[in-house]
Structures are given as structure tokens and as C-alpha cells.
Amino acid sequence: MDEAAASARQSDPGVSRNYPKGERRRAQIIEAAFTAFGTVGYRNASMVRLAAACGVSRAGLLHHFPTKESLLAAVLEQRERQDDERFFQAGEAARDGLEYFASMIRLVAHNQANPGIVSLFAVLSSEASAPDHPAHPYFVARYQRARRAMRSAVDDLARRQLLRPHVDPAGLPVDLIALIDGLQIQWLLDPHAIDMPERLRARLRDIISVELP
């Protein structure tokens, strides 16, 4: 926030009183909705049910999110933003292929410790394959962003001659994203049998000629 905006906020007693509380409530709603969507799926989560899960009235929920679609968008966007900032330095990691894939392993390990995250995206990405699903455009764009970021990381490794000789870099982004998604489904079904970060690291050893940090 710039100084002028901050000054304007401080000069308005109503804003200074209400904004922090409103933002906290909004964040709480997003967190509760994240759990609800991951548990029952988007289509089965009514606004009444979501309001109850969020600990607010339906009117209170509608004040922050007028539609279920707007709440879903907020949940998805916040989770992606948090992951990007925490693991990929808001996109900077893709410029260094080794750092990108090391960060990807850390993200997968984080997800394995937080099954709600994996469940949410598994359920919603499957539902969103229907063109009329509200999250369909988001997931199409999300996979496009993921492929672009991984393409940048793979290209960096190729330029630095860090890919093993047998590796064809052309299809790697699609293949590796498919591997990660497939590991998530198998892990959800049998978490004791699948170690997602270890399987990803093992596959990357077949691709990258140096050990990842």
C-alpha cells in the first residue's frame, strides 16, 4: 500500500475500525471454505452449508462473497498465491531449473503433510473438467501457467547441459505434471504405500544429471 493510501485509510475512522476485522473475517471464511470444498466438493457445498462451516450467517457470507463462484475463486487464488510465494519466490525459481525442481519437491512434501490441500485440488480439478463448471477457466489457466513455469525451468537445465543425454525436453512439462497429479491420486487412496516427494525425486534423478538440493 502506498503512503497516500495508508494516510487516507488512517484519516477515515470507519475504514480504520472496520477494515482489519473485515479482512480477518474474509480470511477465516476462505480457510473454512477451503476445508468444505475439499470435503464435499464444489457442487455439494451449498451457501447455507458454507456459511455454517465458516461460522457466519448466510447474509454475512454473502456480504463478503456474493456468489459461491466468487468464494471458490478466492479459495483457489489464495492457495496458489501462497504456494507461489512460499515455494517459488513468486515465479523467480523457474529461472533456475535446479531451484525450481527442488522447490517442487518441497511443495509436494508440504502437500503430503496437508491432505486437505491435495483432496481439494483432486476433487475440484476433476469436477472442473466439465466446461460449464465455474472453476473450469481457472484450472485451464492454472495448468497453462504450470506448463510455462516448468518449460522455463527445463529450458534452463537444457542450456546448462544438466539434462541426461537420453532425455527429450520437449514433453517433460506435460509428463512431470501428469506424474505429480497421478501420485496425488494414488496417495489419497493409499497414503501409507506412496511417498510422493521421494517418487518425484527418484524420477527427477533419471532426468537431471546432478543431485537436487
Side-chain angles (χ1 to χ4, degrees), residues 41-198:
Y42 173 80
R43 296 194 186 278
N44 293 326
S46 68
M47 290 298 274
V48 171
R49 184 171 188 171
L50 288 168
C54 298
V56 297
S57 66
R58 187 172 186 276
L61 178 60
L62 293 174
H63 171 74
H64 293 281
F65 299 99
T67 65
K68 189 166 69 165
E69 290 85 354
S70 65
L71 177 55
L72 175 63
V75 169
L76 294 172
E77 289 167 2
Q78 175 162 302
R79 283 294 163 177
E80 184 172 359
R81 182 169 59 251
Q82 289 174 342
D83 285 347
D84 194 36
E85 292 172 354
R86 180 173 182 177
F87 295 100
F88 298 101
Q89 295 83 52
E92 291 298 314
R95 299 182 183 181
D96 182 324
L98 294 179
E99 177 58 32
Y100 174 86
F101 284 110
S103 297
M104 182 62 69
I105 292 172
R106 289 192 290 269
L107 172 59
V108 171
H110 170 75
N111 288 348
Q112 184 162 284
N114 295 273
I117 295 173
V118 182
S119 178
L120 173 70
F121 279 89
V123 171
L124 287 179
S125 61
S126 177
E127 288 185 347
S129 62
D132 62 341
H133 192 284
H136 182 81
Y138 168 81
F139 276 100
V140 170
R142 182 175 185 269
Y143 276 105
Q144 290 172 345
R145 289 192 295 273
R147 289 193 297 270
R148 282 197 301 269
M150 198 171 287
R151 173 86 273 149
S152 177
V154 168
D155 287 347
D156 174 68
L157 294 177
R159 283 193 299 270
R160 295 159 64 186
Q161 299 184 331
L162 295 177
L163 296 177
R164 295 193 183 278
H166 68 277
V167 172
D168 178 4
L172 273 183
V174 172
D175 293 347
L176 289 173
I177 292 170
L179 170 67
I180 293 168
D181 285 358
L183 285 172
Q184 290 180 344
I185 297 299
Q186 293 186 65
W187 177 76
L188 284 170
L189 293 170
D190 193 355
H192 299 294
I194 306 295
D195 186 329
M196 293 194 293
E198 181 52 37

